[in-house]
Amino acid sequence: MRPLDLTADPVDLCAALVDVPSVSGEEGALADALEAALRAQAPHLEVLRSGHAVLARTDLGRPGRVLLAGHIDTVPIADNVPSRRDQGLIYGCGTSDMKAGDAVFAHLAAVLPDPRHDLTFVFYDCEEVEAVRNGLGRIEREHRDWLAADLAILGEPTNGAVEAGCQGTLRAEITLRGRRAHSARSWLGENAVHAAGPVLERLAAYPAREVEIDGCRYREGLQAVRIAGGVAGNVVPDECVVTINFRFAPDRDAAAAEKHVREVFEGFELEITDLSPGALPGLGAPAAREFLAATGAEPTAKYGWTDVSRFAALGIPALNYGPGDPNLAHTRDEHVDPARITEALDVLRRFLG
C-alpha cells in the first residue's frame, strides 16, 4: 500500500482511503496509514493512537476548540473495492459513508497549521456495528480529555446540508402468549399470532408527533419492524413477538421515551431491548452559529441516530455535515460526487482558516 498523501486533492485522497479495506473490526491497516501520514505530514499536531482509532490535535491556546470526527469503518464490501471512477463520480464501499468526509478532515489536518480555532481530529473505528464496540466509547473511557470541544462536527453523509441533533431510538419486544393445540382442533388452543391484532391496531392508529426545536422540525415514528411466531404448519402457536421501533424527538430523554412506549402498550408484556437518546440541535452555541454562517445553509433536523448523541451527552454541541449522500450509504453502487467534496472543503476552510 502506498503512503497516503494528506496534502493531495481530497477527491484523490477519498479514493485512496476507499482502496484500503476497513470493514468494522478490520480497520487496522487504514488506521496505520492515517497515523503514519499524520505524524509525517502534520508535525504541528499531537497524535494519539487508540486501538484502530487515530486522534490528532493542535495546542495553540485559541479561546475555542472544534472537533472534527469521522468513522473509518465500513459495512461489508460488496464487490466495490477498490474504488473506480465513472462519469465523474467516485464509486466504492465507504465513499459516501463516510470516507469522503474523512478525506476532507484529514486534508485539513495537514494543511491548516494555524487555524483560528484549536482543532481536534478523531478518526475512529466500529461505528457501523453494535454500540458497545464503537471506538468513541473507548476513547471517552480512556482519553476523555481528547473529546473536549466547543463544537463537534461529524462528517456523516448529509449531501452538503447541515443536519442538527438527531432522533433517539428505542426498540422493544411485545410478547403475546397463547396455548398450543393441533390446528385441526383449534378451539382447544389460543392463537398467540391472532392476539397480536390489538398491538398492530394501536400502531396503525398511532398519531406521530412533530416538534420544532431551534427551527428544526423533528418527526417521530412508532413502527412494527418484525413479527415472529408460529411453530409448525399444523400447530396453533402459543407465542408471538412483535418488535417495535420508536424514533423520538430529542426533547424526550430516554426515560421519557420508555415511559411513552409503555403507556401506548399498557396491558401488554413489553421488554426494552435497545435505547439510545437523541441529541438536541445545540444551534445556540457561538461556534455552531459561526459554522452555520460559513455554510450559508439553513439547518434541518437529522432523521436517524448518529454519534452526535454521544457528544450531546457530554455537553458538547454537535452537528452532522458531510459531502456524502445518505441515500447511497451501504448500497452496492455507493458513490460520491467530487463536487460535494470540494464544496465541503471550501466551507470548512472558510470556517476554520
Side-chain angles (χ1 to χ4, degrees), residues 26-65:
E26 302 172 5
E27 307 95 337
L30 184 53
D32 289 345
L34 280 167
E35 180 185 10
L38 286 166
R39 292 189 185 279
Q41 300 167 38
H44 54 283
L45 298 175
E46 177 188 2
V47 178
L48 173 72
R49 180 68 177 262
S50 168
H52 291 336
V54 183
L55 300 84
R57 66 184 177 188
T58 63
D59 187 14
L60 301 172
R62 301 289 193 256
R65 179 174 292 274

PDB file of all heavy atoms in Angstrom, residues 26-65:
ATOM      1  N   GLU A  26     -11.873  -4.384  11.286  1.00  0.00           N
ATOM      2  CA  GLU A  26     -10.687  -4.666  10.456  1.00  0.00           C
ATOM      3  C   GLU A  26     -10.084  -3.367   9.924  1.00  0.00           C
ATOM      4  O   GLU A  26      -9.605  -3.295   8.795  1.00  0.00           O
ATOM      5  CB  GLU A  26     -11.066  -5.595   9.302  1.00  0.00           C
ATOM      6  CG  GLU A  26     -11.671  -6.915   9.769  1.00  0.00           C
ATOM      7  CD  GLU A  26     -12.219  -7.753   8.631  1.00  0.00           C
ATOM      8  OE1 GLU A  26     -12.041  -7.361   7.459  1.00  0.00           O
ATOM      9  OE2 GLU A  26     -12.838  -8.791   8.910  1.00  0.00           O
ATOM     10  N   GLU A  27     -10.097  -2.335  10.770  1.00  0.00           N
ATOM     11  CA  GLU A  27      -9.633  -1.007  10.336  1.00  0.00           C
ATOM     12  C   GLU A  27      -8.136  -0.802  10.548  1.00  0.00           C
ATOM     13  O   GLU A  27      -7.613   0.283  10.287  1.00  0.00           O
ATOM     14  CB  GLU A  27     -10.387   0.098  11.110  1.00  0.00           C
ATOM     15  CG  GLU A  27     -11.896  -0.002  11.055  1.00  0.00           C
ATOM     16  CD  GLU A  27     -12.454  -0.742  12.265  1.00  0.00           C
ATOM     17  OE1 GLU A  27     -11.681  -1.533  12.889  1.00  0.00           O
ATOM     18  OE2 GLU A  27     -13.620  -0.541  12.597  1.00  0.00           O
ATOM     19  N   GLY A  28      -7.426  -1.821  11.017  1.00  0.00           N
ATOM     20  CA  GLY A  28      -6.029  -1.652  11.405  1.00  0.00           C
ATOM     21  C   GLY A  28      -5.143  -1.074  10.315  1.00  0.00           C
ATOM     22  O   GLY A  28      -4.347  -0.164  10.565  1.00  0.00           O
ATOM     23  N   ALA A  29      -5.251  -1.586   9.097  1.00  0.00           N
ATOM     24  CA  ALA A  29      -4.380  -1.123   8.016  1.00  0.00           C
ATOM     25  C   ALA A  29      -4.631   0.351   7.704  1.00  0.00           C
ATOM     26  O   ALA A  29      -3.677   1.119   7.495  1.00  0.00           O
ATOM     27  CB  ALA A  29      -4.596  -1.974   6.766  1.00  0.00           C
ATOM     28  N   LEU A  30      -5.894   0.757   7.667  1.00  0.00           N
ATOM     29  CA  LEU A  30      -6.203   2.161   7.380  1.00  0.00           C
ATOM     30  C   LEU A  30      -5.776   3.055   8.539  1.00  0.00           C
ATOM     31  O   LEU A  30      -5.252   4.157   8.324  1.00  0.00           O
ATOM     32  CB  LEU A  30      -7.689   2.331   7.087  1.00  0.00           C
ATOM     33  CG  LEU A  30      -8.136   3.739   6.685  1.00  0.00           C
ATOM     34  CD1 LEU A  30      -7.313   4.265   5.521  1.00  0.00           C
ATOM     35  CD2 LEU A  30      -9.626   3.760   6.335  1.00  0.00           C
ATOM     36  N   ALA A  31      -5.975   2.588   9.773  1.00  0.00           N
ATOM     37  CA  ALA A  31      -5.525   3.368  10.927  1.00  0.00           C
ATOM     38  C   ALA A  31      -4.007   3.527  10.905  1.00  0.00           C
ATOM     39  O   ALA A  31      -3.480   4.609  11.196  1.00  0.00           O
ATOM     40  CB  ALA A  31      -5.972   2.694  12.222  1.00  0.00           C
ATOM     41  N   ASP A  32      -3.296   2.474  10.534  1.00  0.00           N
ATOM     42  CA  ASP A  32      -1.833   2.559  10.427  1.00  0.00           C
ATOM     43  C   ASP A  32      -1.428   3.617   9.402  1.00  0.00           C
ATOM     44  O   ASP A  32      -0.516   4.421   9.636  1.00  0.00           O
ATOM     45  CB  ASP A  32      -1.248   1.211  10.011  1.00  0.00           C
ATOM     46  CG  ASP A  32      -1.314   0.155  11.107  1.00  0.00           C
ATOM     47  OD1 ASP A  32      -1.540   0.517  12.275  1.00  0.00           O
ATOM     48  OD2 ASP A  32      -1.157  -1.044  10.775  1.00  0.00           O
ATOM     49  N   ALA A  33      -2.108   3.601   8.251  1.00  0.00           N
ATOM     50  CA  ALA A  33      -1.766   4.540   7.175  1.00  0.00           C
ATOM     51  C   ALA A  33      -2.065   5.977   7.591  1.00  0.00           C
ATOM     52  O   ALA A  33      -1.277   6.893   7.328  1.00  0.00           O
ATOM     53  CB  ALA A  33      -2.538   4.177   5.908  1.00  0.00           C
ATOM     54  N   LEU A  34      -3.202   6.199   8.241  1.00  0.00           N
ATOM     55  CA  LEU A  34      -3.540   7.550   8.693  1.00  0.00           C
ATOM     56  C   LEU A  34      -2.572   8.032   9.768  1.00  0.00           C
ATOM     57  O   LEU A  34      -2.124   9.186   9.739  1.00  0.00           O
ATOM     58  CB  LEU A  34      -4.973   7.578   9.227  1.00  0.00           C
ATOM     59  CG  LEU A  34      -6.094   7.665   8.190  1.00  0.00           C
ATOM     60  CD1 LEU A  34      -7.440   7.371   8.832  1.00  0.00           C
ATOM     61  CD2 LEU A  34      -6.107   9.044   7.529  1.00  0.00           C
ATOM     62  N   GLU A  35      -2.246   7.162  10.710  1.00  0.00           N
ATOM     63  CA  GLU A  35      -1.314   7.561  11.765  1.00  0.00           C
ATOM     64  C   GLU A  35       0.042   7.938  11.179  1.00  0.00           C
ATOM     65  O   GLU A  35       0.622   8.981  11.534  1.00  0.00           O
ATOM     66  CB  GLU A  35      -1.150   6.429  12.772  1.00  0.00           C
ATOM     67  CG  GLU A  35      -0.187   6.771  13.903  1.00  0.00           C
ATOM     68  CD  GLU A  35       0.078   5.617  14.843  1.00  0.00           C
ATOM     69  OE1 GLU A  35      -0.332   4.474  14.539  1.00  0.00           O
ATOM     70  OE2 GLU A  35       0.723   5.855  15.895  1.00  0.00           O
ATOM     71  N   ALA A  36       0.551   7.104  10.271  1.00  0.00           N
ATOM     72  CA  ALA A  36       1.856   7.390   9.660  1.00  0.00           C
ATOM     73  C   ALA A  36       1.827   8.705   8.891  1.00  0.00           C
ATOM     74  O   ALA A  36       2.765   9.511   8.966  1.00  0.00           O
ATOM     75  CB  ALA A  36       2.255   6.235   8.741  1.00  0.00           C
ATOM     76  N   ALA A  37       0.740   8.939   8.159  1.00  0.00           N
ATOM     77  CA  ALA A  37       0.644  10.165   7.362  1.00  0.00           C
ATOM     78  C   ALA A  37       0.556  11.397   8.256  1.00  0.00           C
ATOM     79  O   ALA A  37       1.189  12.428   7.988  1.00  0.00           O
ATOM     80  CB  ALA A  37      -0.566  10.085   6.438  1.00  0.00           C
ATOM     81  N   LEU A  38      -0.227  11.328   9.326  1.00  0.00           N
ATOM     82  CA  LEU A  38      -0.359  12.474  10.223  1.00  0.00           C
ATOM     83  C   LEU A  38       0.960  12.789  10.916  1.00  0.00           C
ATOM     84  O   LEU A  38       1.349  13.954  11.052  1.00  0.00           O
ATOM     85  CB  LEU A  38      -1.456  12.204  11.256  1.00  0.00           C
ATOM     86  CG  LEU A  38      -2.894  12.277  10.736  1.00  0.00           C
ATOM     87  CD1 LEU A  38      -3.863  11.655  11.735  1.00  0.00           C
ATOM     88  CD2 LEU A  38      -3.293  13.723  10.433  1.00  0.00           C
ATOM     89  N   ARG A  39       1.658  11.764  11.351  1.00  0.00           N
ATOM     90  CA  ARG A  39       2.938  12.004  12.039  1.00  0.00           C
ATOM     91  C   ARG A  39       3.973  12.601  11.093  1.00  0.00           C
ATOM     92  O   ARG A  39       4.767  13.461  11.485  1.00  0.00           O
ATOM     93  CB  ARG A  39       3.452  10.698  12.649  1.00  0.00           C
ATOM     94  CG  ARG A  39       2.598  10.188  13.819  1.00  0.00           C
ATOM     95  CD  ARG A  39       3.266   9.021  14.543  1.00  0.00           C
ATOM     96  NE  ARG A  39       2.406   8.449  15.571  1.00  0.00           N
ATOM     97  CZ  ARG A  39       2.245   8.949  16.788  1.00  0.00           C
ATOM     98  NH1 ARG A  39       2.893  10.060  17.135  1.00  0.00           N
ATOM     99  NH2 ARG A  39       1.449   8.355  17.668  1.00  0.00           N
ATOM    100  N   ALA A  40       3.941  12.179   9.815  1.00  0.00           N
ATOM    101  CA  ALA A  40       4.945  12.655   8.862  1.00  0.00           C
ATOM    102  C   ALA A  40       4.582  13.987   8.232  1.00  0.00           C
ATOM    103  O   ALA A  40       5.454  14.823   7.970  1.00  0.00           O
ATOM    104  CB  ALA A  40       5.143  11.602   7.769  1.00  0.00           C
ATOM    105  N   GLN A  41       3.289  14.216   7.986  1.00  0.00           N
ATOM    106  CA  GLN A  41       2.881  15.372   7.185  1.00  0.00           C
ATOM    107  C   GLN A  41       2.218  16.481   8.000  1.00  0.00           C
ATOM    108  O   GLN A  41       1.930  17.550   7.459  1.00  0.00           O
ATOM    109  CB  GLN A  41       1.917  14.899   6.088  1.00  0.00           C
ATOM    110  CG  GLN A  41       2.537  13.874   5.147  1.00  0.00           C
ATOM    111  CD  GLN A  41       1.512  13.189   4.269  1.00  0.00           C
ATOM    112  OE1 GLN A  41       0.552  13.809   3.794  1.00  0.00           O
ATOM    113  NE2 GLN A  41       1.692  11.892   4.036  1.00  0.00           N
ATOM    114  N   ALA A  42       1.964  16.238   9.269  1.00  0.00           N
ATOM    115  CA  ALA A  42       1.332  17.258  10.119  1.00  0.00           C
ATOM    116  C   ALA A  42       2.102  17.371  11.435  1.00  0.00           C
ATOM    117  O   ALA A  42       1.569  17.058  12.503  1.00  0.00           O
ATOM    118  CB  ALA A  42      -0.130  16.910  10.356  1.00  0.00           C
ATOM    119  N   PRO A  43       3.362  17.835  11.380  1.00  0.00           N
ATOM    120  CA  PRO A  43       4.174  17.904  12.604  1.00  0.00           C
ATOM    121  C   PRO A  43       3.641  18.894  13.632  1.00  0.00           C
ATOM    122  O   PRO A  43       4.069  18.862  14.787  1.00  0.00           O
ATOM    123  CB  PRO A  43       5.550  18.327  12.079  1.00  0.00           C
ATOM    124  CG  PRO A  43       5.269  19.002  10.769  1.00  0.00           C
ATOM    125  CD  PRO A  43       4.100  18.291  10.185  1.00  0.00           C
ATOM    126  N   HIS A  44       2.700  19.741  13.233  1.00  0.00           N
ATOM    127  CA  HIS A  44       2.114  20.706  14.160  1.00  0.00           C
ATOM    128  C   HIS A  44       1.050  20.067  15.060  1.00  0.00           C
ATOM    129  O   HIS A  44       0.510  20.740  15.946  1.00  0.00           O
ATOM    130  CB  HIS A  44       1.483  21.863  13.376  1.00  0.00           C
ATOM    131  CG  HIS A  44       0.490  21.408  12.341  1.00  0.00           C
ATOM    132  ND1 HIS A  44       0.864  20.863  11.144  1.00  0.00           N
ATOM    133  CD2 HIS A  44      -0.874  21.420  12.339  1.00  0.00           C
ATOM    134  CE1 HIS A  44      -0.213  20.555  10.436  1.00  0.00           C
ATOM    135  NE2 HIS A  44      -1.281  20.884  11.143  1.00  0.00           N
ATOM    136  N   LEU A  45       0.750  18.792  14.843  1.00  0.00           N
ATOM    137  CA  LEU A  45      -0.296  18.114  15.593  1.00  0.00           C
ATOM    138  C   LEU A  45       0.288  17.112  16.587  1.00  0.00           C
ATOM    139  O   LEU A  45       1.271  16.428  16.288  1.00  0.00           O
ATOM    140  CB  LEU A  45      -1.239  17.362  14.648  1.00  0.00           C
ATOM    141  CG  LEU A  45      -2.032  18.191  13.629  1.00  0.00           C
ATOM    142  CD1 LEU A  45      -2.818  17.285  12.712  1.00  0.00           C
ATOM    143  CD2 LEU A  45      -2.963  19.170  14.337  1.00  0.00           C
ATOM    144  N   GLU A  46      -0.346  17.018  17.744  1.00  0.00           N
ATOM    145  CA  GLU A  46      -0.097  15.914  18.664  1.00  0.00           C
ATOM    146  C   GLU A  46      -0.959  14.749  18.200  1.00  0.00           C
ATOM    147  O   GLU A  46      -2.154  14.915  17.941  1.00  0.00           O
ATOM    148  CB  GLU A  46      -0.478  16.311  20.089  1.00  0.00           C
ATOM    149  CG  GLU A  46      -0.320  15.191  21.104  1.00  0.00           C
ATOM    150  CD  GLU A  46      -0.881  15.546  22.479  1.00  0.00           C
ATOM    151  OE1 GLU A  46      -1.429  16.663  22.633  1.00  0.00           O
ATOM    152  OE2 GLU A  46      -0.781  14.701  23.389  1.00  0.00           O
ATOM    153  N   VAL A  47      -0.369  13.563  18.078  1.00  0.00           N
ATOM    154  CA  VAL A  47      -1.067  12.409  17.536  1.00  0.00           C
ATOM    155  C   VAL A  47      -1.164  11.319  18.601  1.00  0.00           C
ATOM    156  O   VAL A  47      -0.207  11.057  19.328  1.00  0.00           O
ATOM    157  CB  VAL A  47      -0.356  11.859  16.277  1.00  0.00           C
ATOM    158  CG1 VAL A  47      -1.076  10.623  15.744  1.00  0.00           C
ATOM    159  CG2 VAL A  47      -0.289  12.931  15.197  1.00  0.00           C
ATOM    160  N   LEU A  48      -2.333  10.690  18.685  1.00  0.00           N
ATOM    161  CA  LEU A  48      -2.583   9.624  19.643  1.00  0.00           C
ATOM    162  C   LEU A  48      -3.221   8.446  18.916  1.00  0.00           C
ATOM    163  O   LEU A  48      -4.134   8.628  18.115  1.00  0.00           O
ATOM    164  CB  LEU A  48      -3.523  10.105  20.753  1.00  0.00           C
ATOM    165  CG  LEU A  48      -4.011   9.051  21.751  1.00  0.00           C
ATOM    166  CD1 LEU A  48      -2.885   8.618  22.676  1.00  0.00           C
ATOM    167  CD2 LEU A  48      -5.198   9.585  22.565  1.00  0.00           C
ATOM    168  N   ARG A  49      -2.764   7.250  19.223  1.00  0.00           N
ATOM    169  CA  ARG A  49      -3.374   6.025  18.683  1.00  0.00           C
ATOM    170  C   ARG A  49      -4.169   5.345  19.792  1.00  0.00           C
ATOM    171  O   ARG A  49      -3.680   5.163  20.906  1.00  0.00           O
ATOM    172  CB  ARG A  49      -2.294   5.088  18.158  1.00  0.00           C
ATOM    173  CG  ARG A  49      -2.799   3.766  17.568  1.00  0.00           C
ATOM    174  CD  ARG A  49      -3.583   3.985  16.264  1.00  0.00           C
ATOM    175  NE  ARG A  49      -3.992   2.707  15.693  1.00  0.00           N
ATOM    176  CZ  ARG A  49      -3.339   2.078  14.720  1.00  0.00           C
ATOM    177  NH1 ARG A  49      -2.234   2.635  14.205  1.00  0.00           N
ATOM    178  NH2 ARG A  49      -3.765   0.928  14.257  1.00  0.00           N
ATOM    179  N   SER A  50      -5.394   4.947  19.482  1.00  0.00           N
ATOM    180  CA  SER A  50      -6.248   4.233  20.426  1.00  0.00           C
ATOM    181  C   SER A  50      -6.905   3.089  19.685  1.00  0.00           C
ATOM    182  O   SER A  50      -7.863   3.302  18.932  1.00  0.00           O
ATOM    183  CB  SER A  50      -7.312   5.165  21.019  1.00  0.00           C
ATOM    184  OG  SER A  50      -8.296   4.425  21.722  1.00  0.00           O
ATOM    185  N   GLY A  51      -6.405   1.871  19.878  1.00  0.00           N
ATOM    186  CA  GLY A  51      -6.954   0.750  19.126  1.00  0.00           C
ATOM    187  C   GLY A  51      -6.824   1.015  17.641  1.00  0.00           C
ATOM    188  O   GLY A  51      -5.741   1.329  17.137  1.00  0.00           O
ATOM    189  N   HIS A  52      -7.943   0.905  16.931  1.00  0.00           N
ATOM    190  CA  HIS A  52      -7.943   1.212  15.498  1.00  0.00           C
ATOM    191  C   HIS A  52      -8.405   2.640  15.226  1.00  0.00           C
ATOM    192  O   HIS A  52      -8.874   2.943  14.118  1.00  0.00           O
ATOM    193  CB  HIS A  52      -8.839   0.231  14.739  1.00  0.00           C
ATOM    194  CG  HIS A  52      -8.301  -1.162  14.687  1.00  0.00           C
ATOM    195  ND1 HIS A  52      -6.967  -1.454  14.814  1.00  0.00           N
ATOM    196  CD2 HIS A  52      -8.930  -2.354  14.519  1.00  0.00           C
ATOM    197  CE1 HIS A  52      -6.778  -2.748  14.728  1.00  0.00           C
ATOM    198  NE2 HIS A  52      -7.954  -3.321  14.557  1.00  0.00           N
ATOM    199  N   ALA A  53      -8.308   3.507  16.224  1.00  0.00           N
ATOM    200  CA  ALA A  53      -8.648   4.922  16.048  1.00  0.00           C
ATOM    201  C   ALA A  53      -7.382   5.754  16.088  1.00  0.00           C
ATOM    202  O   ALA A  53      -6.399   5.407  16.753  1.00  0.00           O
ATOM    203  CB  ALA A  53      -9.607   5.381  17.138  1.00  0.00           C
ATOM    204  N   VAL A  54      -7.413   6.879  15.369  1.00  0.00           N
ATOM    205  CA  VAL A  54      -6.282   7.813  15.340  1.00  0.00           C
ATOM    206  C   VAL A  54      -6.816   9.201  15.662  1.00  0.00           C
ATOM    207  O   VAL A  54      -7.795   9.655  15.049  1.00  0.00           O
ATOM    208  CB  VAL A  54      -5.590   7.821  13.959  1.00  0.00           C
ATOM    209  CG1 VAL A  54      -4.377   8.743  13.987  1.00  0.00           C
ATOM    210  CG2 VAL A  54      -5.176   6.415  13.552  1.00  0.00           C
ATOM    211  N   LEU A  55      -6.178   9.870  16.616  1.00  0.00           N
ATOM    212  CA  LEU A  55      -6.585  11.205  17.030  1.00  0.00           C
ATOM    213  C   LEU A  55      -5.420  12.155  16.855  1.00  0.00           C
ATOM    214  O   LEU A  55      -4.252  11.768  16.992  1.00  0.00           O
ATOM    215  CB  LEU A  55      -7.046  11.213  18.494  1.00  0.00           C
ATOM    216  CG  LEU A  55      -8.228  10.330  18.872  1.00  0.00           C
ATOM    217  CD1 LEU A  55      -7.799   8.889  19.154  1.00  0.00           C
ATOM    218  CD2 LEU A  55      -8.955  10.882  20.091  1.00  0.00           C
ATOM    219  N   ALA A  56      -5.733  13.413  16.561  1.00  0.00           N
ATOM    220  CA  ALA A  56      -4.690  14.432  16.417  1.00  0.00           C
ATOM    221  C   ALA A  56      -5.280  15.773  16.835  1.00  0.00           C
ATOM    222  O   ALA A  56      -6.480  16.015  16.658  1.00  0.00           O
ATOM    223  CB  ALA A  56      -4.193  14.487  14.977  1.00  0.00           C
ATOM    224  N   ARG A  57      -4.430  16.649  17.399  1.00  0.00           N
ATOM    225  CA  ARG A  57      -4.951  17.946  17.838  1.00  0.00           C
ATOM    226  C   ARG A  57      -3.869  19.012  17.862  1.00  0.00           C
ATOM    227  O   ARG A  57      -2.676  18.714  17.984  1.00  0.00           O
ATOM    228  CB  ARG A  57      -5.591  17.824  19.221  1.00  0.00           C
ATOM    229  CG  ARG A  57      -4.632  17.486  20.355  1.00  0.00           C
ATOM    230  CD  ARG A  57      -5.383  17.284  21.664  1.00  0.00           C
ATOM    231  NE  ARG A  57      -4.487  16.891  22.757  1.00  0.00           N
ATOM    232  CZ  ARG A  57      -4.891  16.505  23.970  1.00  0.00           C
ATOM    233  NH1 ARG A  57      -6.189  16.469  24.239  1.00  0.00           N
ATOM    234  NH2 ARG A  57      -4.021  16.154  24.888  1.00  0.00           N
ATOM    235  N   THR A  58      -4.323  20.250  17.735  1.00  0.00           N
ATOM    236  CA  THR A  58      -3.448  21.404  17.907  1.00  0.00           C
ATOM    237  C   THR A  58      -3.497  21.835  19.368  1.00  0.00           C
ATOM    238  O   THR A  58      -4.408  21.483  20.111  1.00  0.00           O
ATOM    239  CB  THR A  58      -3.904  22.583  17.028  1.00  0.00           C
ATOM    240  OG1 THR A  58      -5.222  22.988  17.447  1.00  0.00           O
ATOM    241  CG2 THR A  58      -3.938  22.202  15.561  1.00  0.00           C
ATOM    242  N   ASP A  59      -2.502  22.630  19.761  1.00  0.00           N
ATOM    243  CA  ASP A  59      -2.472  23.202  21.107  1.00  0.00           C
ATOM    244  C   ASP A  59      -1.907  24.610  20.989  1.00  0.00           C
ATOM    245  O   ASP A  59      -0.792  24.901  21.389  1.00  0.00           O
ATOM    246  CB  ASP A  59      -1.612  22.344  22.039  1.00  0.00           C
ATOM    247  CG  ASP A  59      -1.679  22.812  23.490  1.00  0.00           C
ATOM    248  OD1 ASP A  59      -2.579  23.620  23.800  1.00  0.00           O
ATOM    249  OD2 ASP A  59      -0.821  22.389  24.291  1.00  0.00           O
ATOM    250  N   LEU A  60      -2.735  25.486  20.403  1.00  0.00           N
ATOM    251  CA  LEU A  60      -2.291  26.842  20.074  1.00  0.00           C
ATOM    252  C   LEU A  60      -2.798  27.884  21.068  1.00  0.00           C
ATOM    253  O   LEU A  60      -2.532  29.077  20.894  1.00  0.00           O
ATOM    254  CB  LEU A  60      -2.776  27.209  18.665  1.00  0.00           C
ATOM    255  CG  LEU A  60      -2.296  26.272  17.537  1.00  0.00           C
ATOM    256  CD1 LEU A  60      -3.002  26.605  16.230  1.00  0.00           C
ATOM    257  CD2 LEU A  60      -0.781  26.372  17.372  1.00  0.00           C
ATOM    258  N   GLY A  61      -3.552  27.441  22.060  1.00  0.00           N
ATOM    259  CA  GLY A  61      -4.071  28.384  23.040  1.00  0.00           C
ATOM    260  C   GLY A  61      -5.206  29.236  22.538  1.00  0.00           C
ATOM    261  O   GLY A  61      -5.479  30.309  23.080  1.00  0.00           O
ATOM    262  N   ARG A  62      -5.903  28.762  21.506  1.00  0.00           N
ATOM    263  CA  ARG A  62      -7.048  29.507  20.995  1.00  0.00           C
ATOM    264  C   ARG A  62      -8.175  29.508  22.036  1.00  0.00           C
ATOM    265  O   ARG A  62      -8.279  28.593  22.852  1.00  0.00           O
ATOM    266  CB  ARG A  62      -7.554  28.883  19.696  1.00  0.00           C
ATOM    267  CG  ARG A  62      -6.510  28.817  18.578  1.00  0.00           C
ATOM    268  CD  ARG A  62      -6.214  30.196  18.029  1.00  0.00           C
ATOM    269  NE  ARG A  62      -5.479  30.120  16.780  1.00  0.00           N
ATOM    270  CZ  ARG A  62      -4.179  30.358  16.644  1.00  0.00           C
ATOM    271  NH1 ARG A  62      -3.456  30.682  17.721  1.00  0.00           N
ATOM    272  NH2 ARG A  62      -3.586  30.293  15.470  1.00  0.00           N
ATOM    273  N   PRO A  63      -9.050  30.494  22.009  1.00  0.00           N
ATOM    274  CA  PRO A  63     -10.138  30.536  23.000  1.00  0.00           C
ATOM    275  C   PRO A  63     -11.186  29.450  22.808  1.00  0.00           C
ATOM    276  O   PRO A  63     -11.962  29.168  23.717  1.00  0.00           O
ATOM    277  CB  PRO A  63     -10.743  31.931  22.796  1.00  0.00           C
ATOM    278  CG  PRO A  63     -10.353  32.322  21.410  1.00  0.00           C
ATOM    279  CD  PRO A  63      -9.011  31.702  21.167  1.00  0.00           C
ATOM    280  N   GLY A  64     -11.264  28.855  21.635  1.00  0.00           N
ATOM    281  CA  GLY A  64     -12.250  27.815  21.377  1.00  0.00           C
ATOM    282  C   GLY A  64     -11.628  26.625  20.673  1.00  0.00           C
ATOM    283  O   GLY A  64     -10.544  26.720  20.091  1.00  0.00           O
ATOM    284  N   ARG A  65     -12.319  25.490  20.739  1.00  0.00           N
ATOM    285  CA  ARG A  65     -11.839  24.272  20.086  1.00  0.00           C
ATOM    286  C   ARG A  65     -12.983  23.630  19.301  1.00  0.00           C
ATOM    287  O   ARG A  65     -14.106  23.504  19.801  1.00  0.00           O
ATOM    288  CB  ARG A  65     -11.291  23.277  21.112  1.00  0.00           C
ATOM    289  CG  ARG A  65     -10.792  21.953  20.504  1.00  0.00           C
ATOM    290  CD  ARG A  65     -10.115  21.059  21.525  1.00  0.00           C
ATOM    291  NE  ARG A  65      -8.851  21.636  21.976  1.00  0.00           N
ATOM    292  CZ  ARG A  65      -7.681  21.478  21.360  1.00  0.00           C
ATOM    293  NH1 ARG A  65      -7.621  20.766  20.229  1.00  0.00           N
ATOM    294  NH2 ARG A  65      -6.595  22.028  21.836  1.00  0.00           N
TER     295      ARG A  65
END
